[in-house]
Amino acid sequence: MQVEMLNVNKSFGSNKVLEDVSITVNGGEIYALLGENGAGKSTLMNILGGVLPLDRGEICINGESVSFEKPADSQSSGIAFIHQELNLINDLPVYENMFIGREPKKRFGQLDHKKMIKETEDLFKRMDIDLDPKALVGDLDASYKQIVEICRAMSTNASIIIMDEPTTSLTDTEINRVFGMMNTLREQGVGLIFISHKLKEVKRICDRYAVLRDGGLVSEGYVEDVTINDIARFMVGYDVRTEPLIRERPLGEEVLRIENLTYEQQFKDINFSIKAGEVVGFTGLLGDGRSELFQSIFGSKGVSSGAIYVNDKKVSTNSTMDAIKNGIAYLPRNRKENAIISDMDILENSAIATWPQYSKFGIINKDIHKQQFEKQRDKLNIKMDKWTDNITKLSGGNQQKVVLSKWLNTGPKILILDNPTQGVDVGAKEDIYDIILDLADQKIAVVVLSSEAQEIIRVCDRTMVMYHGTVQGELKGKEMTDHNIMTLATGGELELEGEGKPLWKQEQ
Amino acid sequence: MEAGAVSVRRGFVEWFKDKWQNDPLFSIFIALIIMVILQTLTLGFDFNSFGEWFQTWVNNWINILRNNAGVAIVALGMTFVIMTGGIDLSVGATLVATGAFAMTLIDIGERGLFAMIGITGVPAIIFTMLLTMAFGYLLGSLIGVTVTKGLVPPFIATLGAMMVFRSVTQHFMQGYNPRVPTEFLQIASLKIGNVMIMPIIYWLLIAAIMYYVSKRTTFGRQIIAVGSNEKGARLSGINVDKVKLRVYALMGLLVSIAAIIQVSRVGSMDFAGAGRGLEMDAIAAAVVGGTSMMGGRGFILGTVYGVLIIAVLNNLLNLFGVPPLLRDAFKGLIVIAAVLLQRKKII
């Protein structure tokens, strides 16, 4: 099957989102649709999925013009759209999720469970997937959920599947699993549209690519003909750095020391120490316990045993308030769920953690918060209109910077950043790396939690690699490579040649 | 000249459209204005006898406001509770419990507590008020602890509290008729310029304080943060449990004030019937005023409008001679209509 989108135009009010975009996707290929946030990828795919109507242009399937007025039209033409937020029901088993909305029924309207299980099993066998159809979707990890979504699309006989950032919340092993599935589909003649920000993945699995920028198609071609740098340049319109950013700087006293920290099943016997001005990475696969560890240090989870020392003084972190008083700040992962207060404006989102600090008799001192925010806005290069605008009006990168400004306002000694560049586009990502290094120069101890090895390698002085709630190993300077990190993250041991050599010497 | 007039008119239309779409309180306010105009017309506006008409109009309004002061005060607290994503079904029972508590203290009969230990007059009144408010705060705190430390959903916790509070009150007050001294009645019945206006003053004063709290204080803004994104609020260093606990405690305090007003207006209380449906009236006022049952979004000013809209509606139904048993139907429809009106603004 071949899908063509010809000269597609789309505006929202006076805002032109797509201008004369034409793409062609064939069966049996993986087609990467790339671009920064706001470039128009989602709009284009929503048009193809029948979610949005197009203003001008044409959609052709196998050369015949079609028009989609609702998602069902697109689906019946053989196009399946797997949204980034998966549409699965956690409380139902896999096989029922496969047939939602089109459940096979017996004569008196009861669900035909046997048939659903049988068909699901057959499909899994055909796709070479090792998964129990009776498992509860809520018990599956993120990659299997993605796979269930793909299988559901397959079972509707889709010939073109749109996948919107399927790998964002997946670990490397899980990504491999999904990619294996995508390869199988390609061999079976299915066309896949793969939307992603991860260019390495595009290079690895895609056949052709298209890059959108500001609503226009800027480049299209075969992936093998271009480099990652080329694609990144097409996306942002200028050259993008990929070199390591770590630089030499004097380190101060130890600010944070963790001794034998344990919490139930989440992590056990964690020991480490961090000096002022150091950037330390924590990486691993999903379920390695790094987020839980630092949420406990921040006082939001709990600790069963062990001790936390800040500036060599034992502290209790039973609550997030305690942690903030001790100079610990934590920028959480999943910004939308954990950090953004969507009913509040930009200023309030930036001031929320420091309200009590500056208030008198419980009355908020708005002037101080405004001053502080203006300073942060310039320093962090936050692009915004008015501070009274709702936080959700900002792009992902700018939202993240507002959340960061909230923590910088508290004047932290230790700044923990959990997946700081999640859902942030390439330009803002680089900004955030620069900010991290500037903060380190200002003697703040920065902890970067990330599942992206490249991110760790580029900004961190050293990194701990976690595996099943323990620190599997520590890598310094040049030892930090994709290979070493992956080996430790999957529970392997490393024979390092002598002591790990840091890129520079510590100040005595 | 002509063109100028047109552009002014267009400017107004644009302004109105913008307000209507972006200011959630605007449509509620317009609805209130329309109802007040209707009510004014129904009261037979006549330019020739303006003075007389005006007198009737003012009297009518003072009646409306005074009769609704209790519900209005409770609705203010309910707004905060709903803004945290919770609900309080126990307000009617708390009203009875705190009312009974006040009457037991101030009773000038044999069983009156203060009378027994020899406290009378103004000190007795002041102590009664303070202790009753403290008692309301305590009852609210109990609910707050159940919700936060006990992790019982607010609906269940307050449903349980509702039954417990009323049942216990009725049991202990069985066959006991406290006599409230006339001085105590002055709390609500004191006349200023020959008009009984005190309940209205309490209401507006509390509304003003609550408005300020919701807009300008750490506590007020933390309520929104907790209701909008509880996890995010906790990870921003907000003591979520403390905020919720204080919201329920404040609810109890406000109910106790409403109870004092009610006791001091009539000098007695029907412990089986008083406050029945109070929770629903308070929730309805908050919802009509634009407060989201999902939490996070809520307006003290909207709740004031909400109480007024429901009150004026009652007044209108009365003036139109709608059969009493049919009035709740209109109230219900107004609540649904208000949410339909605001629905488009929730993005």
Side-chain angles (χ1 to χ4, degrees):
Chain A
M1 186 163 118
Q2 185 192 47
V3 172
E4 289 168 283
M5 297 184 83
L6 301 169
N7 300 316
V8 173
N9 282 270
K10 177 77 190 171
S11 307
F12 293 117
S14 58
N15 186 13
K16 264 203 159 164
V17 235
L18 289 176
E19 211 173 346
D20 284 328
V21 174
S22 302
I23 59 167
T24 307
V25 182
N26 300 308
E29 71 171 352
I30 302 181
Y31 188 89
L33 186 61
L34 307 164
E36 291 204 281
N37 291 332
K41 301 175 305 245
S42 300
T43 312
L44 189 66
M45 287 304 105
N46 277 325
I47 289 171
L48 186 57
V51 182
L52 292 171
L54 41 73
D55 293 348
R56 210 146 38 78
E58 205 179 4
I59 301 173
C60 295
I61 290 180
N62 295 333
E64 270 179 55
S65 179
V66 290
S67 82
F68 297 151
E69 277 163 18
K70 49 185 186 301
D73 296 343
S74 167
Q75 279 158 21
S76 58
S77 305
I79 297 170
F81 194 165
I82 301 175
H83 294 267
Q84 198 175 354
E85 285 91 20
L86 300 178
N87 287 317
L88 294 173
I89 295 165
N90 282 333
D91 294 324
L92 288 180
V94 169
Y95 70 88
E96 282 195 69
N97 269 286
M98 294 283 292
F99 289 93
I100 276 195
R102 47 188 190 90
E103 297 88 347
K105 302 234 171 81
K106 288 195 235 169
R107 194 180 312 158
F108 297 108
Q110 319 101 299
L111 293 179
D112 194 342
H113 290 275
K114 260 192 203 144
K115 192 174 172 199
M116 288 194 274
I117 296 171
K118 176 82 177 49
E119 286 190 12
T120 309
E121 267 171 355
D122 289 350
L123 183 67
F124 285 177
K125 210 173 281 166
R126 212 168 70 224
M127 291 289 157
D128 200 19
I129 297 159
D130 181 26
L131 184 61
D132 178 10
K134 281 179 256 175
L136 219 54
V137 164
D139 295 339
L140 301 181
D141 76 19
S143 65
Y144 277 113
K145 286 185 183 172
Q146 194 79 46
I147 285 170
V148 171
E149 275 271 14
I150 299 171
C151 289
R152 179 158 75 180
M154 285 309 298
S155 68
T156 62
N157 293 322
S159 333
I160 298 281
I161 301 179
I162 307 166
M163 302 174 75
D164 191 358
E165 298 197 38
T167 59
T168 356
S169 53
L170 304 188
T171 61
D172 287 356
T173 351
E174 293 172 339
I175 289 170
N176 288 340
R177 203 175 289 140
V178 173
F179 280 4
M181 169 105 199
M182 287 168 70
N183 277 324
T184 315
L185 290 173
R186 170 162 55 189
E187 280 156 25
Q188 295 181 358
V190 175
L192 295 151
I193 302 178
F194 182 70
I195 304 178
S196 179
H197 282 293
K198 298 184 179 173
L199 302 183
K200 269 200 168 173
E201 292 178 359
V202 170
K203 212 41 200 156
R204 202 175 122 197
I205 192 161
C206 296
D207 304 302
R208 291 197 302 137
Y209 73 94
V211 177
L212 295 182
R213 190 169 75 226
D214 300 328
L217 186 70
V218 288
S219 175
E220 194 186 14
Y222 287 92
V223 171
E224 56 186 21
D225 296 340
V226 288
T227 64
I228 288 181
N229 281 357
D230 292 335
I231 302 177
R233 196 176 61 240
F234 296 145
M235 284 168 68
V236 292
Y238 49 85
D239 276 313
V240 179
R241 309 167 297 177
T242 49
E243 78 283 7
L245 301 167
I246 37 179
R247 54 195 183 221
E248 191 168 340
R249 84 183 79 78
L251 299 183
E253 302 263 296
E254 172 196 280
V255 281
L256 178 69
R257 186 169 82 249
I258 302 299
E259 285 182 2
N260 302 320
L261 209 64
T262 300
Y263 179 59
E264 290 170 10
Q265 301 303 312
Q266 317 249 15
F267 52 85
K268 47 191 176 295
D269 282 329
I270 306 284
N271 290 286
F272 64 87
S273 140
I274 299 175
K275 292 189 169 67
E278 217 176 356
V279 183
V280 179
F282 273 78
T283 184
L285 305 175
L286 201 76
D288 61 356
R290 63 174 187 276
S291 277
E292 291 78 8
L293 166 64
F294 281 95
Q295 280 174 18
S296 287
I297 293 173
F298 186 60
S300 77
K301 273 243 150 100
V303 166
S304 338
S305 65
I308 301 166
Y309 297 84
V310 174
N311 286 347
D312 216 19
K313 254 192 0 219
K314 191 173 173 177
V315 296
S316 77
T317 48
N318 291 323
S319 71
T320 50
M321 284 82 62
D322 286 349
I324 293 172
K325 270 188 208 126
N326 292 325
I328 304 175
Y330 173 73
L331 180 136
R333 59 170 56 197
N334 298 339
R335 183 174 56 244
K336 204 168 132 198
E337 281 166 43
N338 297 332
I340 292 295
I341 312 288
S342 56
D343 281 310
M344 289 186 165
D345 64 29
I346 297 170
L347 178 67
E348 287 198 297
N349 268 286
S350 160
I352 182 166
T354 35
W355 280 336
Q357 195 180 329
Y358 295 107
S359 64
K360 259 193 199 134
F361 308 113
I363 296 162
I364 292 173
N365 188 337
K366 215 169 181 169
D367 293 334
I368 285 193
H369 293 301
K370 253 188 248 173
Q371 280 170 22
Q372 283 192 330
F373 180 64
E374 263 156 31
K375 249 188 260 162
Q376 300 286 3
R377 188 189 56 196
D378 298 341
K379 253 197 273 176
L380 305 180
N381 188 21
I382 301 174
K383 291 193 194 79
M384 48 170 270
D385 195 14
K386 301 189 296 284
W387 55 261
T388 46
D389 282 342
N390 195 285
I391 181 83
T392 49
K393 269 197 172 179
L394 299 180
S395 70
N398 285 310
Q399 285 186 17
Q400 191 71 316
K401 287 179 186 175
V402 172
V403 178
L404 189 58
S405 80
K406 164 172 85 183
W407 291 116
L408 296 181
N409 283 336
T410 64
K413 286 183 276 198
I414 302 140
L415 178 62
I416 303 157
L417 305 171
D418 194 349
N419 258 3
T421 58
Q422 184 182 23
V424 163
D425 56 38
V426 181
K429 215 167 171 171
E430 293 299 321
D431 279 0
I432 288 175
Y433 295 153
D434 284 335
I435 292 165
I436 291 174
L437 296 170
D438 287 345
L439 293 172
D441 286 344
Q442 293 160 32
K443 291 275 186 231
I444 295 177
V446 186
V447 179
V448 180
L449 278 58
S450 177
S451 49
E452 275 179 59
Q454 273 307 314
E455 185 160 287
I456 298 283
I457 294 168
R458 288 187 60 203
V459 298
C460 296
D461 301 336
R462 60 188 170 101
T463 187
M464 310 279 179
V465 184
M466 291 187 66
Y467 173 71
H468 279 304
T470 55
V471 173
Q472 184 75 7
E474 182 181 352
L475 299 169
K476 286 177 189 160
K478 293 217 163 90
E479 294 167 358
M480 293 193 289
T481 61
D482 281 311
H483 174 79
N484 284 353
I485 289 175
M486 192 40 66
T487 309
L488 290 172
T490 47
E493 304 273 339
L494 270 186
E495 289 273 333
L496 293 173
E497 293 168 19
E499 280 285 298
K501 279 180 200 130
L503 286 183
W504 59 88
K505 294 231 167 67
Q506 275 172 216
E507 196 185 45
Q508 293 304 318
Chain B
M1 185 70 207
E2 187 113 286
V6 168
S7 87
V8 166
R9 202 177 309 145
R10 184 169 304 148
F12 175 77
V13 171
E14 291 287 309
W15 171 85
F16 191 90
K17 250 181 157 173
D18 179 65
K19 273 286 207 188
W20 184 267
Q21 271 163 11
N22 297 319
D23 184 352
L25 288 182
F26 190 69
S27 52
I28 308 163
F29 185 69
I30 295 290
L32 177 61
I33 295 290
I34 291 171
M35 293 183 70
V36 171
I37 292 172
L38 255 177
Q39 179 213 28
T40 307
L41 293 175
T42 319
L43 280 175
F45 177 71
D46 181 0
F47 197 72
N48 295 324
S49 53
F50 180 79
E52 201 178 309
W53 171 85
F54 188 68
Q55 192 60 44
T56 330
W57 192 82
V58 168
N59 283 342
N60 186 44
W61 261 102
I62 287 176
N63 272 329
I64 293 177
L65 295 176
R66 191 174 49 220
N67 289 339
N68 286 287
V71 183
I73 290 169
V74 174
L76 292 171
M78 191 66 85
T79 307
F80 273 11
V81 172
I82 296 176
M83 275 161 83
T84 63
I87 197 149
D88 192 344
L89 302 177
S90 73
V91 289
T94 309
L95 183 92
V96 171
T98 50
F101 183 82
M103 288 164 76
T104 318
L105 292 181
I106 199 73
D107 179 18
I108 45 176
E110 291 172 351
R111 284 169 67 182
L113 274 172
F114 282 156
M116 263 196 272
I117 54 174
I119 303 175
T120 51
V122 177
I125 293 173
I126 290 172
F127 283 137
T128 301
M129 286 171 69
L130 291 178
L131 283 176
T132 305
M133 286 195 264
F135 184 59
Y137 194 87
L138 178 78
L139 291 183
S141 304
L142 284 177
I143 293 170
V145 170
T146 318
V147 169
T148 55
K149 303 292 171 207
L151 297 175
V152 180
F155 191 97
I156 308 296
T158 57
L159 182 74
M162 169 172 99
M163 298 180 195
V164 173
F165 292 169
R166 190 179 294 271
S167 156
V168 171
T169 307
Q170 280 183 276
H171 175 77
F172 280 107
M173 300 306 280
Q174 209 173 11
Y176 171 36
N177 285 313
R179 277 165 41 220
V180 178
T182 46
E183 295 92 332
F184 190 78
L185 302 186
Q186 291 297 313
I187 295 171
S189 318
L190 186 72
K191 286 186 178 163
I192 295 175
N194 220 12
V195 195
M196 250 169 62
I197 206 170
M198 293 312 287
I200 306 175
I201 292 177
Y202 301 138
W203 167 19
L204 296 181
L205 197 67
I206 292 169
I209 294 170
M210 294 284 280
Y211 180 80
Y212 187 80
V213 167
S214 80
K215 290 279 179 201
R216 290 271 179 272
T217 66
T218 313
F219 175 53
R221 302 316 287 174
Q222 286 182 343
I223 289 172
I224 297 177
V226 168
S228 180
N229 183 351
E230 186 169 328
K231 223 165 140 196
R234 184 172 285 122
L235 287 173
S236 296
I238 291 175
N239 191 336
V240 173
D241 283 357
K242 191 169 140 196
V243 171
K244 284 190 180 175
L245 203 134
R246 284 169 72 187
V247 162
Y248 285 98
L250 178 64
M251 179 83 257
L253 173 73
L254 291 175
V255 173
S256 71
I257 294 174
I260 293 170
I261 292 174
Q262 182 155 342
V263 169
S264 65
R265 273 189 72 191
V266 283
S268 69
M269 196 178 242
D270 160 23
F271 300 116
R276 289 239 184 241
L278 179 62
E279 65 286 344
M280 290 307 158
D281 286 340
I283 294 166
V287 167
V288 168
T291 299
S292 159
M293 294 299 287
M294 308 291 291
R297 182 168 158 280
F299 312 95
I300 288 296
L301 199 58
T303 300
V304 174
Y305 294 158
V307 170
L308 290 177
I309 285 180
I310 294 174
V312 174
L313 179 81
N314 269 332
N315 187 237
L316 270 175
L317 296 175
N318 195 10
L319 293 171
F320 281 137
V322 173
L325 288 178
L326 211 54
R327 285 183 197 164
D328 266 1
F330 285 91
K331 218 153 79 175
L333 288 175
I334 272 279
V335 173
I336 294 169
V339 175
L340 278 175
L341 260 180
Q342 293 157 24
R343 187 186 42 161
K344 59 180 181 288
K345 283 167 210 106
I346 306 163
I347 306 157

